[in-house]
Amino acid sequence: MTCTRRAICEFVGTACLLAAVVGSGIMGERLSGGNAAIALLANSIATGAALLALILTFGPISGAHFNPAVTLTAALRGRLSWRDVPPYVFGEIAGAFAGVACANGMFGLPPFFASAHTRSGWPQLFSEGLATVGLITVIYLCVEFHHEAVPVAVAAYITAAYWFTSSTSFANPAVTLARAATNTFAGIRPYDVPGFIVAQLIGAAVANLFLHWLQKPLTTVPVEIVDDSEKVVTH
Amino acid sequence: MTCTRRAICEFVGTACLLAAVVGSGIMGERLSGGNAAIALLANSIATGAALLALILTFGPISGAHFNPAVTLTAALRGRLSWRDVPPYVFGEIAGAFAGVACANGMFGLPPFFASAHTRSGWPQLFSEGLATVGLITVIYLCVEFHHEAVPVAVAAYITAAYWFTSSTSFANPAVTLARAATNTFAGIRPYDVPGFIVAQLIGAAVANLFLHWLQKPLTTVPVEIVDDSEKVVTH
Amino acid sequence: MTCTRRAICEFVGTACLLAAVVGSGIMGERLSGGNAAIALLANSIATGAALLALILTFGPISGAHFNPAVTLTAALRGRLSWRDVPPYVFGEIAGAFAGVACANGMFGLPPFFASAHTRSGWPQLFSEGLATVGLITVIYLCVEFHHEAVPVAVAAYITAAYWFTSSTSFANPAVTLARAATNTFAGIRPYDVPGFIVAQLIGAAVANLFLHWLQKPLTTVPVEIVDDSEKVVTH
Amino acid sequence: MTCTRRAICEFVGTACLLAAVVGSGIMGERLSGGNAAIALLANSIATGAALLALILTFGPISGAHFNPAVTLTAALRGRLSWRDVPPYVFGEIAGAFAGVACANGMFGLPPFFASAHTRSGWPQLFSEGLATVGLITVIYLCVEFHHEAVPVAVAAYITAAYWFTSSTSFANPAVTLARAATNTFAGIRPYDVPGFIVAQLIGAAVANLFLHWLQKPLTTVPVEIVDDSEKVVTH
């Protein structure tokens, strides 16, 4: 399929993802009577479920990256032409903003309005870095060994990461930019966006180094695996 | 299998689906002590789980549409004979009402009693339109690329869409009609039904146009895919 | 594998299932501060997850029935020798009681103590009947068409059925008997047990008739399927 | 792949697992306004989802044990060289502590600080024993019969076991040691650690005996299976 059409799929998929992230945050906050744990439970389950459906839907067409850090890693690892990176990233960022506008519209809010949700401090930056290391590692080891498991693995990872990081795991520069444009449960103050994105890119770089180091022997030294203790253990 | 038997499977499956939607709404509302987020969490998880079980169960027999918008799309896309559309749609609508009666009966309520649950306004109509675009797109791209993923993708999508739309995502004309006949958590005021159904049909039409546009090159211009950057990226 | 060993697997698996049902009910009730919806959410998610793990674990050995209604249906449908039914059912009932004793023991309660949890009235009996019709139908249509989907389908069905029936869907005579022996969240007053079991057996009979009627043409009249509209629609 | 690299994968995976267990416990406790059931619901869903993602990710490389009891069983059952056991167990324990430090760091807490969370008494020790019997049985019967189901089965089992045991099912000596180093929701008083570990090892031994007894006829007496009632019933 042409790159334009694949980039449009990235646009549509990322829009759906952001509609799910932001919309379920609004609904969760409105209904939960002030109990933030219940709102986040709804938000995390809805986000994970949406990711599962969307990656199953668009994965066979565009790869269902929905995330510039994932697109860059795909290019670095030779799974996407570098020429496709700009349209993909543009589609993801534009789609993220379109999704935020849809979510706001579905709940009768203005399409865009700046978030006042403070998300700052080293613990949250550390969270974003770690969350992105984990996400990239999960995706590309699954891609390598059993790519049909990617939708489930990513959905499960993000559902968990909403809870185990203090930042609720954005782990996605396009998502971070667009979530600054909604002053609701899932929002982030524009002032805090650059720090999050830098932390995510550092995390993505660390994950790429880890993957590079880990997989080297898989392709270059199989002939050395002569010892019984060296066999790959599948369980 | 004969069309009659398949239509009866649509009847039975849609009845089970509505029993799950309405029954879990009643149980959630009764037990949650006024916290609507907990009631909706139960309702969305139960609906998603029921859909997963029912599509796995009836999918190999009738296709497990349970939804006239899905049946119409199947006919439009050449996956169902137009002659089968009327019995399918009749089975779905009759099944939906039968399921509502079962749910009401299981909780000691009269089989049918009109809902007073107001669901109106442009944001909710916009929600229904978007929810249906998403549902039809998820179903038919999965059908196209890996149809065994349909049960999981639909269940995950609907679980998420309960939360990310302000209408809680009916996305199904038969379901909408029947939910007017129960004045419980999942009900909808009869007066609001036509707007929902129109929005759903517009959404289904938009999804069909998107699918038509997207898939054209898949079948008509594969020979043009000569450029390295044009290859389908599976991840 | 010998029938004895398979029956012991039914014993072990049913014990684990009951430990999960009763134990998660106790934990849910203890922690939820009186909000029964949160307790039931925990109880339903834990039961569904346990069923998924247990059917994956014991399915390839004994079939993972854990339920006399499922065992009887297996025999009726020629999937289990009638000679195996008594040891299977005995293993299931003994396992159910062993599981209740384990759950009670894990929470510092006496192994067995009669429940005072009233579960009576026509709506609950109707619920048990319907729940069992659904369970048997889900299991045996999945067995017929894609048996590897049985663990997921059963787990999803039961998670949903905890919510959409007023009885919380026992749908299992062995489980019903044993749950009378724990005066905790998941218990049932001994006086109410016979009604539940009768309703379950009627439900199982109805499901068997439905399956028999539905599948007749699959094996006896395939040659008649000459019309385009008669083709099996997989989606 | 070399044993060192596989052991490093055990380190990384166990670190991620502990970050998920401890981090989601902190988040759940902070947000749930004192309702421990909601905190545990978040904690159990996040842990199950993280396990699913991590076993899919690292399973094809190191087996994704993340648990000395699983590693020992692998060696006992001939699925791992005994020479690999020390580096695996060292990687798991070191990874567990690294994960606790990451979780504490992500929430602005000191890397290590002793837990004051009392977890004692026979019911909790009995719980740990049973939980470990179940975990080892689930893993190794799935490994035997359909190893691709291991990630889902383990994740589902642990999600359930958080609820159905009074100890919330540590079932893992490395996890138990490291959870003593965080005075948060998921912590355990150092004083209570040895009892838990002894109970887990006894549970693992019982599971190994059960597996040994159960599988004997599968490999040694297939020729005796001549009777119709003896056939393996897949459902």
Side-chain angles (χ1 to χ4, degrees):
Chain A
M1 204 174 288
T2 64
C3 175
T4 310
R5 286 172 196 238
R6 287 184 281 117
I8 285 170
C9 282
E10 288 293 307
F11 172 88
V12 173
T14 313
C16 291
L17 175 60
L18 266 285
V21 169
V22 172
S24 65
I26 296 171
M27 185 69 118
E29 194 172 37
R30 285 193 183 174
L31 297 186
S32 62
N35 190 315
I38 299 177
L40 188 62
L41 200 54
N43 195 206
S44 60
I45 291 174
T47 301
L51 267 171
L52 178 51
L54 293 170
I55 301 177
L56 286 168
T57 300
F58 292 108
I61 299 175
S62 69
H65 301 172
F66 312 153
N67 185 340
V70 174
T71 297
L72 283 171
T73 304
L76 276 168
R77 295 175 65 78
R79 293 184 169 275
L80 186 76
S81 160
W82 279 101
R83 235 190 336 170
D84 289 359
V85 171
Y88 262 59
V89 170
F90 179 79
E92 287 155 7
I93 294 174
F97 278 95
V100 167
C102 284
N104 286 337
M106 285 193 286
F107 287 91
L109 301 169
F112 300 115
F113 57 130
S115 174
H117 194 144
T118 304
R119 299 185 190 263
S120 62
W122 290 108
Q124 296 211 26
L125 295 176
F126 180 50
S127 288
E128 281 303 304
L130 280 190
T132 313
V133 172
L135 178 63
I136 300 292
T137 304
V138 165
I139 292 172
Y140 284 98
L141 287 182
C142 286
V143 165
E144 206 70 47
F145 290 106
H146 40 171
H147 68 85
E148 75 290 350
V150 169
V152 166
V154 171
Y157 178 80
I158 291 293
T159 301
Y162 262 51
W163 283 98
F164 73 70
T165 63
S166 60
S167 63
T168 70
S169 188
F170 287 49
N172 182 330
V175 163
T176 306
L177 281 170
R179 282 169 69 167
T182 179
N183 190 18
T184 60
F185 187 76
I188 175 173
R189 209 171 45 160
Y191 183 82
D192 298 328
V193 166
F196 265 49
I197 292 179
V198 169
Q200 290 156 5
L201 295 176
I202 293 172
V206 170
N208 271 281
L209 291 173
F210 174 64
L211 291 168
H212 183 74
W213 169 82
L214 185 65
Q215 296 193 280
K216 230 176 177 176
L218 288 185
T219 50
T220 60
V221 290
V223 287
E224 291 176 25
I225 303 176
V226 295
D227 184 294
D228 178 67
S229 72
E230 305 299 272
K231 70 174 185 260
V232 174
V233 174
T234 53
H235 214 274
Chain B
M1 203 174 288
T2 64
C3 175
T4 310
R5 285 171 196 239
R6 286 184 281 118
I8 286 170
C9 282
E10 289 293 307
F11 172 88
V12 173
T14 313
C16 292
L17 175 60
L18 266 284
V21 169
V22 172
S24 66
I26 297 171
M27 185 69 118
E29 194 172 37
R30 285 193 184 175
L31 297 185
S32 62
N35 190 314
I38 299 177
L40 188 61
L41 200 54
N43 195 206
S44 60
I45 291 174
T47 301
L51 267 171
L52 178 52
L54 293 169
I55 301 177
L56 286 169
T57 300
F58 292 108
I61 299 174
S62 68
H65 301 172
F66 311 154
N67 185 340
V70 174
T71 296
L72 283 171
T73 304
L76 276 168
R77 295 175 65 78
R79 295 185 169 275
L80 186 76
S81 159
W82 280 101
R83 235 189 337 168
D84 290 359
V85 171
Y88 263 58
V89 171
F90 179 78
E92 288 155 8
I93 293 173
F97 279 94
V100 167
C102 284
N104 286 337
M106 285 194 287
F107 287 90
L109 302 169
F112 300 116
F113 58 129
S115 174
H117 194 143
T118 304
R119 299 186 190 262
S120 61
W122 289 108
Q124 295 211 26
L125 295 176
F126 180 50
S127 289
E128 281 304 304
L130 280 190
T132 313
V133 172
L135 178 63
I136 300 292
T137 304
V138 165
I139 291 173
Y140 284 98
L141 287 183
C142 285
V143 164
E144 206 70 47
F145 290 106
H146 41 171
H147 67 84
E148 75 290 351
V150 168
V152 166
V154 171
Y157 177 80
I158 291 293
T159 301
Y162 263 50
W163 283 98
F164 73 70
T165 62
S166 60
S167 63
T168 72
S169 187
F170 287 48
N172 183 329
V175 163
T176 307
L177 282 170
R179 283 169 69 167
T182 179
N183 190 17
T184 61
F185 186 77
I188 175 173
R189 210 171 46 159
Y191 182 83
D192 298 327
V193 166
F196 265 49
I197 292 180
V198 169
Q200 290 156 6
L201 294 177
I202 293 172
V206 170
N208 272 281
L209 291 173
F210 174 64
L211 291 168
H212 184 73
W213 169 82
L214 185 65
Q215 296 193 280
K216 231 176 176 176
L218 287 185
T219 50
T220 60
V221 290
V223 286
E224 291 176 23
I225 303 176
V226 295
D227 184 295
D228 177 68
S229 71
E230 305 299 271
K231 69 174 184 260
V232 173
V233 174
T234 54
H235 213 277
Chain C
M1 204 174 289
T2 64
C3 175
T4 310
R5 286 173 195 237
R6 287 185 281 118
I8 286 170
C9 282
E10 288 293 308
F11 171 88
V12 173
T14 313
C16 292
L17 175 60
L18 267 285
V21 169
V22 172
S24 65
I26 297 171
M27 185 69 117
E29 194 172 38
R30 284 193 184 175
L31 298 186
S32 62
N35 189 316
I38 299 177
L40 188 62
L41 200 54
N43 195 205
S44 60
I45 291 174
T47 301
L51 267 171
L52 179 52
L54 292 169
I55 301 177
L56 286 169
T57 300
F58 292 107
I61 300 175
S62 69
H65 301 172
F66 311 154
N67 185 340
V70 174
T71 296
L72 282 171
T73 304
L76 276 168
R77 295 176 65 78
R79 295 185 169 275
L80 185 77
S81 160
W82 280 101
R83 233 189 338 168
D84 290 358
V85 170
Y88 263 58
V89 171
F90 179 79
E92 288 155 7
I93 293 173
F97 279 94
V100 167
C102 285
N104 287 337
M106 285 193 286
F107 288 90
L109 301 169
F112 299 116
F113 59 130
S115 174
H117 194 144
T118 304
R119 299 185 190 263
S120 61
W122 289 108
Q124 296 212 25
L125 295 176
F126 180 50
S127 288
E128 281 304 304
L130 280 191
T132 313
V133 172
L135 178 63
I136 300 292
T137 304
V138 165
I139 291 173
Y140 284 97
L141 287 183
C142 285
V143 164
E144 205 71 47
F145 289 106
H146 41 171
H147 68 86
E148 75 289 352
V150 169
V152 166
V154 170
Y157 178 80
I158 291 294
T159 301
Y162 262 50
W163 283 99
F164 73 69
T165 62
S166 60
S167 63
T168 72
S169 187
F170 288 49
N172 182 330
V175 162
T176 307
L177 281 170
R179 283 169 68 168
T182 179
N183 190 17
T184 60
F185 187 76
I188 175 173
R189 210 171 45 159
Y191 182 83
D192 298 328
V193 166
F196 265 49
I197 292 179
V198 169
Q200 290 156 5
L201 294 177
I202 293 172
V206 170
N208 271 281
L209 291 173
F210 174 64
L211 291 168
H212 184 74
W213 169 81
L214 185 66
Q215 296 193 279
K216 229 176 179 176
L218 288 184
T219 50
T220 60
V221 290
V223 286
E224 291 175 23
I225 303 177
V226 295
D227 184 293
D228 177 68
S229 71
E230 305 298 273
K231 70 176 185 259
V232 173
V233 174
T234 54
H235 214 274
Chain D
M1 204 175 288
T2 65
C3 175
T4 309
R5 286 170 196 239
R6 286 184 281 117
I8 286 170
C9 283
E10 288 293 307
F11 171 88
V12 173
T14 314
C16 292
L17 175 59
L18 267 284
V21 169
V22 172
S24 65
I26 297 171
M27 185 70 117
E29 194 172 37
R30 284 193 184 175
L31 297 186
S32 62
N35 189 314
I38 299 176
L40 188 61
L41 200 54
N43 195 205
S44 60
I45 291 174
T47 301
L51 267 171
L52 178 52
L54 293 169
I55 301 177
L56 286 168
T57 300
F58 292 108
I61 300 174
S62 68
H65 301 172
F66 312 153
N67 185 340
V70 174
T71 296
L72 283 171
T73 305
L76 277 168
R77 295 175 66 78
R79 295 185 169 274
L80 186 77
S81 160
W82 280 101
R83 235 191 335 169
D84 290 358
V85 170
Y88 263 58
V89 170
F90 179 79
E92 288 154 7
I93 293 173
F97 279 94
V100 167
C102 285
N104 286 338
M106 285 193 286
F107 287 90
L109 302 169
F112 300 115
F113 58 129
S115 174
H117 194 144
T118 304
R119 300 186 190 262
S120 62
W122 289 108
Q124 296 211 25
L125 295 175
F126 180 51
S127 289
E128 282 304 303
L130 279 190
T132 313
V133 172
L135 178 63
I136 300 292
T137 304
V138 165
I139 292 173
Y140 284 98
L141 287 183
C142 285
V143 165
E144 206 70 48
F145 289 106
H146 40 170
H147 67 85
E148 75 290 351
V150 169
V152 166
V154 171
Y157 178 80
I158 291 293
T159 301
Y162 263 50
W163 283 98
F164 73 69
T165 63
S166 60
S167 63
T168 71
S169 187
F170 288 48
N172 182 329
V175 163
T176 307
L177 281 170
R179 282 169 69 167
T182 179
N183 190 17
T184 60
F185 187 76
I188 176 172
R189 210 171 46 159
Y191 183 83
D192 297 329
V193 166
F196 265 49
I197 292 179
V198 169
Q200 290 156 5
L201 294 177
I202 293 172
V206 170
N208 271 282
L209 292 173
F210 174 64
L211 291 168
H212 184 74
W213 168 82
L214 185 65
Q215 296 192 280
K216 230 175 176 177
L218 288 185
T219 50
T220 60
V221 290
V223 286
E224 291 176 23
I225 303 176
V226 294
D227 184 294
D228 177 68
S229 71
E230 305 298 272
K231 70 174 184 260
V232 173
V233 174
T234 53
H235 213 273

